[in-house]
Amino acid sequence: MSTSTSSPAGTAGEHPAPAQPPRRTPDGPPSPSSWWAGRSGLVVPAVTAGFSTYLLAGALTMEIPEGTDFPGPAFYPLLLVVAGYVLSALLALHYLRTPEHPAELSERSWRTHSDWAAVAWGAGGFLVFALTLELLGWILAAALLFWAVARGFGSRRPLFDLVLALFVSSAIYLAFAVGLDLTLPSGILGGGF
């Protein structure tokens, strides 16, 4: 008993139909129109490399007095240059290897908004920091800034945030004063206004 089945090759003497490319389903990924599709993130490593080049030019043309001890004033900018170039290369490699195609628009619309309370806490904290830095000194003014930014980011533990802010601002003050031999304003804690 034989059953009739169609053969992909057809009958003798007929040529097979050319293979059709697979059709794209509506849920499938979009086909990129050019090599640049999904690689707009390459702008970030380009800007980072440009900024690093600017820092490199500044560090190399910096006038350094003779007899300056190591590490000298050009050392830290050169560290930032190296870090910037390494970061640029890693980001560029990421975007070249795995382009990020924008997701298909879904039927659901997302409402976006700005959190103006967070912006006000951050901007207000910076304004208070700038206006009171000489009077209060680095430790207290920076602690208020850190506390305001933490509050703007949504922290609801004011006492913990204030203690942590005082610790961080004191550590930064010590790092500049002892480690780098640079003075930050001491304000009322140093006895001066």
Side-chain angles (χ1 to χ4, degrees):
M1 190 188 276
S2 88
T3 59
S4 166
T5 59
S6 62
S7 167
T11 58
E14 292 183 18
H15 297 287
Q20 297 291 325
R23 292 185 180 174
R24 182 177 162 216
T25 62
D27 297 336
S31 61
S33 58
S34 74
W35 183 83
W36 290 102
R39 291 186 172 93
S40 62
L42 287 172
V43 170
V44 174
V47 169
T48 306
F51 182 71
S52 298
T53 303
Y54 173 74
L55 279 178
L56 179 64
L60 293 178
T61 59
M62 183 185 300
E63 293 183 21
I64 302 172
E66 290 186 34
T68 303
D69 292 335
F70 180 78
F75 180 71
Y76 292 105
L78 289 175
L79 281 180
L80 290 176
V81 166
V82 170
Y85 281 137
V86 168
L87 182 63
S88 297
L90 291 174
L91 282 170
L93 183 66
H94 167 74
Y95 285 116
L96 290 173
R97 291 181 68 196
T98 56
E100 297 178 348
H101 297 288
E104 292 285 332
L105 296 175
S106 66
E107 294 176 11
R108 185 174 181 180
S109 64
W110 298 93
R111 180 175 175 260
T112 59
H113 68 282
S114 296
D115 187 358
W116 292 110
V119 172
W121 275 105
F126 182 76
L127 182 64
V128 168
F129 170 77
L131 295 175
T132 62
L133 180 59
E134 292 296 325
L135 175 66
L136 296 179
W138 171 266
I139 293 175
L140 295 178
L144 285 174
L145 172 63
F146 297 154
W147 177 80
V149 170
R151 183 86 173 164
F153 281 142
S155 177
R156 297 296 177 238
R157 302 184 301 176
L159 184 61
F160 173 79
D161 294 338
L162 191 58
V163 170
L164 183 63
L166 283 169
F167 175 76
V168 171
S169 64
S170 299
I172 291 172
Y173 185 84
L174 287 175
F176 273 84
V178 176
L180 298 175
D181 199 26
L182 298 172
T183 57
L184 293 173
S186 57
I188 59 175
L189 292 180
F193 287 94

